[in-house]
Amino acid sequence: MHVGGEVDVRSAYCAASVASLTNIMTPALFAGTAEWIARCQNWEGGIGGVPGMEAHGGYTFCGVAALVILKQEHLLNLRSLLHWVTGRQMRFEGGFQGRCNKLVDGCYSFWQAGLLPLLHRALHARGDPALSMAHWMFDQLALQEYILLCCQCPAGGLLDKPGKSRDFYHTCYCLSGLAIAQHFGSGDLHNEVVLGIPENCLQATHPVYNIAPEKVARAVMHFLQYPVPSLDPA
Amino acid sequence: DEIGLIPCPEARYNRSPIVLVENKLGVESWCVKFLLPYVHNKLLLYRQRKQWLNKDELTDITCTLLLLNPDFTTAWNVRKELILSGTLNPLKDLHLGKLALTKFPKSPETWIHRRWVLQQLIQENSLSSLATKGNLGAAPVERIHRLVQEEMNVCSEAAGRYPSNYNAWSHRIWVLQHLAKLTVKVLLDELSSTKYWVSMHVSDHSGFHYRQFLLNSLIRRTVTDNNILVQNQMVNEQNTSLQKEEESAGTEATCAEKQSVDLSRRLDEEMELCSELIDNYPGHETLWCHSDESLNNSHHSPATSHMAQAMDVDGLNESSSKQGYTQETKRLKRAPVLDSLGPEMEYQFVDKVLSTCRDVDQARFATAYRKWLVTFLGQ
């Protein structure tokens, strides 16, 4: 994550995210990265911080999103990943847990639910005929209920679960999760599923970078104007 | 050996807020809002080169800071510099970390720094084992062993202080991978020493995941050892073999055979443990997940593939078989085959749970498990 710091799948995601948006990707930069991330997938189907570790929502998102950027999602066992993440939506609360047998937490509305658009895309690319053309493979309304009814602080901002205090991190990821739950697909296939009044509807977010899709497009277009920097001495 | 905050909103008496009772350090809460900004500021000024601090002051200040807030990376980094310059003994940081973890058992920065310190110690250790006669008392191997044991203790305590402590268990795995080198002995020791703990923490998914890691590592070990064994046997066949070579191949085969038997026995024990806990503590998803995976491992255990390999070797070399070798393969073939009734027993177990349980979640998990047995095992 920084010089002398810890190594885990998050840094792979950060690097892939930044490099792809700013057009500095080279084969050398990510040589072996995709294979390393794939090794972080374990018997549970999810992805841990480093190979051998327990599957965890945050790390799983980072791993999958990084592989999507590197176009190597097929290195994962997508079936067991799908099985794991769908098992993380809590049947009573509607929100998601970060790991098996743990409590629900608003931030996993993005880390976990956000995996389903990525999986949908990967499976679609394989030509899976069973994929829906209108909904993600999780209960979108139940997640929205959890976020809107349980994760809002009366004074503004969002939180982990009732009883916790608000913070920017949870505000960000609850809202991001809400956006994911409200918007299926894009362009011609866009399907909105909004719980409550229409004003509840947020703008869609990009499932890989979690910023507005137009911003992603603009950033990519901008940096494509510049050549990829090389490491060779001038 | 433990630190804590004493809730005490106001200074009642004119005396120090530090309380030391029976080796446990307490700090009265009222002083924190004065103390923390003060030391924090001092360190930042030092970092910004606006105010010099000597090594002793740095050690004290960072120590205070980290006991109040161990996720302050800069403070740990200052200590890294002190260690690298030789002024600070790395073992002190292990102790400081251990103390911080009694109050902050998850603290990511503490665990990360701990791994950095251990890496320093590993390097130091390998250098001193190259030199003649280590002057640090115990032999390097002994030192590593003690370090590993201490780390197991620290992880165990931290795991007990916070449910499903991802960072503590991750660290434990890291220590086994990098310090203990995943020897069979260590893996088996850890399996037996954590058995009681997980039985007392049936919802601790991290604890059970640790056991999966141990079992998977054992499986991989067994496969590697068997591959080496088979290769050795083939090499022996190609050379003119002396009585001695055959004997050593014999002992190796016995060891590998024993390992496979041990392994399947361990997997069976794991299934027994799961079933027992599921019966006693209905409604814990972790136990069912663990059961799934243990059965999966049981089913695809290398014990069966090891037999196949041994028989292949025999097939290839029938014409040049020597007395000792033939006897050896006969022994291998006679070794106990994996209990192929495993899945049958699991069906019976699930059906029994479904018919006797009253917990809604337990019934749900049992039904899902049955579906899994049918789909994934194809039985």
Side-chain angles (χ1 to χ4, degrees), chain A residues 1-8 10 39-40 42-45 47-57 59 77 79-80 83-84 87-92 97 99-102 164, chain B residues 73 77 80 109 112 115-116 162-167 169-171 173-174 177 202-209 212-213 216 283-287 289-290 292-293 361 364 372 375-376:
Chain A
M1 296 295 294
H2 51 91
V3 176
E6 71 279 24
V7 178
D8 59 51
R10 293 174 301 167
R39 279 174 49 217
C40 294
N42 76 353
W43 59 271
E44 302 173 74
I47 294 178
V50 297
M53 301 304 172
E54 190 185 344
H56 179 293
Y59 292 125
N77 181 337
R79 188 184 183 205
S80 63
H83 185 250
W84 179 80
R88 306 280 69 78
Q89 183 165 26
M90 313 290 278
R91 88 188 31 235
F92 176 68
Q97 64 185 177
R99 305 179 261 149
C100 180
N101 230 157
K102 288 215 76 176
K164 303 278 187 163
Chain B
T73 319
N77 286 343
K80 285 188 180 73
E109 291 303 316
I112 291 162
R115 288 192 275 280
W116 183 89
Y162 185 83
S164 228
N165 191 335
Y166 192 87
N167 297 331
W169 290 103
S170 300
H171 184 78
I173 291 175
W174 184 92
Q177 289 170 327
V202 291
S203 253
D204 197 311
H205 197 250
S206 303
F208 281 96
H209 173 268
Q212 284 302 334
F213 164 76
N216 281 329
H284 290 269
E285 193 171 2
T286 294
L287 296 172
C289 283
H290 193 60
D292 280 357
E293 187 54 20
D361 286 325
R364 182 167 49 88
W372 181 86
T375 332
F376 280 77

Side-chain angles (χ1 to χ4, degrees), chain B residues 75-93:
Chain B
W76 285 120
N77 286 343
V78 167
R79 291 184 80 93
K80 285 188 180 73
E81 288 167 8
L82 291 170
I83 290 175
L84 288 172
S85 69
T87 336
L88 180 58
N89 181 352
L91 294 174
K92 286 245 159 78
D93 270 25

Side-chain angles (χ1 to χ4, degrees), chain B residues 55-105:
Chain B
K55 309 228 187 248
D56 289 328
E57 290 169 315
L58 277 176
T59 313
D60 286 342
I61 289 197
T62 51
C63 184
T64 312
L65 268 170
L66 291 165
L67 288 176
L68 291 171
N69 175 20
D71 279 321
F72 189 26
T73 319
T74 306
W76 285 120
N77 286 343
V78 167
R79 291 184 80 93
K80 285 188 180 73
E81 288 167 8
L82 291 170
I83 290 175
L84 288 172
S85 69
T87 336
L88 180 58
N89 181 352
L91 294 174
K92 286 245 159 78
D93 270 25
L94 289 183
H95 186 235
L96 178 60
K98 182 177 181 177
L99 211 51
L101 290 168
T102 60
K103 184 160 181 289
F104 304 94

Side-chain angles (χ1 to χ4, degrees), chain A residues 8-202:
Chain A
D8 59 51
V9 78
R10 293 174 301 167
S11 41
Y13 171 62
C14 290
S17 180
V18 167
S20 56
L21 285 175
T22 56
N23 191 29
I24 61 172
M25 287 184 85
T26 67
L29 193 55
F30 293 103
T33 305
E35 289 76 12
W36 183 85
I37 297 175
R39 279 174 49 217
C40 294
Q41 179 175 33
N42 76 353
W43 59 271
E44 302 173 74
I47 294 178
V50 297
M53 301 304 172
E54 190 185 344
H56 179 293
Y59 292 125
T60 306
F61 178 83
C62 291
V64 177
L67 286 174
V68 167
I69 294 174
L70 297 172
K71 303 196 194 345
Q72 305 264 46
E73 318 89 290
H74 61 93
L75 290 179
L76 294 171
N77 181 337
L78 295 176
R79 188 184 183 205
S80 63
L81 175 60
L82 182 62
H83 185 250
W84 179 80
V85 65
T86 48
R88 306 280 69 78
Q89 183 165 26
M90 313 290 278
R91 88 188 31 235
F92 176 68
E93 296 93 326
F96 280 79
Q97 64 185 177
R99 305 179 261 149
C100 180
N101 230 157
K102 288 215 76 176
L103 299 175
V104 72
D105 182 335
C107 69
Y108 292 113
S109 308
F110 180 74
W111 301 124
Q112 300 283 35
L115 284 169
L116 289 143
L118 300 178
L119 277 166
H120 210 101
R121 205 184 99 140
L123 292 168
H124 181 68
R126 279 203 202 162
D128 192 320
L131 285 175
S132 161
M133 285 295 113
H135 294 102
W136 305 123
M137 285 180 276
F138 72 93
D139 191 331
Q140 291 168 249
L141 284 173
L143 178 61
Q144 291 184 48
E145 260 187 30
Y146 178 68
I147 298 172
L148 291 172
L149 297 176
C150 306
C151 294
Q152 293 199 71
C153 171
L158 292 99
L159 36 91
D160 163 354
K161 59 173 69 65
K164 303 278 187 163
S165 45
R166 64 186 177 172
D167 60 61
F168 295 116
Y169 166 82
H170 282 96
T171 303
C172 173
Y173 290 104
C174 283
L175 289 175
S176 307
L178 187 56
I180 295 278
Q182 290 173 339
H183 298 273
F184 170 85
S186 61
D188 292 339
L189 276 177
H190 185 210
N191 180 29
E192 268 177 29
V193 177
V194 180
L195 182 77
I197 56 177
E199 284 78 4
N200 286 345
C201 185
L202 299 178

Side-chain angles (χ1 to χ4, degrees), chain B residues 156-372:
Chain B
S156 201
E157 284 197 15
R161 289 201 161 93
Y162 185 83
S164 228
N165 191 335
Y166 192 87
N167 297 331
W169 290 103
S170 300
H171 184 78
R172 200 162 179 161
I173 291 175
W174 184 92
V175 171
L176 286 195
Q177 289 170 327
H178 294 90
L179 259 72
K181 306 293 179 205
L182 296 178
T183 60
V184 172
K185 179 178 188 309
V186 155
L187 294 170
L188 292 175
D189 280 346
E190 278 296 290
L191 267 176
S192 54
S193 62
T194 51
K195 186 168 183 175
Y196 179 71
W197 196 94
V198 298
S199 309
M200 293 293 114
H201 298 82
V202 291
S203 253
D204 197 311
H205 197 250
S206 303
F208 281 96
H209 173 268
Y210 184 65
R211 291 182 77 78
Q212 284 302 334
F213 164 76
L214 295 171
L215 290 168
N216 281 329
S217 304
L218 265 174
I219 291 174
R220 247 175 286 142
R221 233 329 167 194
T222 312
V223 172
T224 323
D225 290 350
N226 285 348
N227 286 340
I228 295 172
L229 166 68
V230 168
Q231 280 166 26
N232 284 344
Q233 282 186 335
M234 283 163 75
V235 168
N236 285 342
E237 275 302 297
Q238 281 159 23
N239 305 336
T240 16
S241 77
L242 306 161
Q243 186 68 11
K244 223 170 139 199
E245 274 177 19
E246 284 170 354
E247 274 170 10
S248 68
T251 17
E252 273 175 38
T254 322
C255 278
E257 179 190 323
K258 185 170 184 304
Q259 257 184 44
S260 300
V261 171
D262 271 347
L263 181 59
S264 23
R265 202 172 353 123
R266 296 269 165 259
L267 291 168
D268 284 342
E269 278 172 13
E270 202 63 22
M271 291 306 297
E272 268 176 45
L273 175 66
C274 276
S275 306
E276 198 188 307
L277 291 173
I278 288 176
D279 266 340
N280 291 335
Y281 304 104
H284 290 269
E285 193 171 2
T286 294
L287 296 172
W288 289 97
C289 283
H290 193 60
S291 216
D292 280 357
E293 187 54 20
S294 299
L295 184 61
N296 204 19
N297 283 332
S298 228
H299 193 63
H300 297 116
S301 160
T304 34
S305 61
H306 155 248
M307 300 307 159
Q309 278 178 335
M311 290 189 267
D312 276 343
V313 173
D314 181 42
L316 281 170
N317 293 287
E318 242 169 6
S319 51
S320 57
S321 64
K322 300 187 177 48
Q323 188 66 12
Y325 177 77
T326 321
Q327 278 175 355
E328 233 358 89
T329 47
K330 279 205 193 132
R331 282 196 60 218
L332 284 168
K333 283 180 190 169
R334 275 204 313 264
V337 177
L338 240 209
D339 181 2
S340 59
L341 292 176
E344 278 300 307
M345 281 169 51
E346 284 313 292
Y347 275 115
Q348 283 171 20
F349 173 68
V350 169
D351 289 338
K352 181 185 134 244
V353 168
L354 277 170
S355 57
T356 57
C357 80
R358 279 177 283 170
D359 182 291
V360 168
D361 286 325
Q362 183 85 330
R364 182 167 49 88
F365 294 139
T367 316
Y369 187 57
R370 199 171 208 290
K371 254 199 226 163
W372 181 86

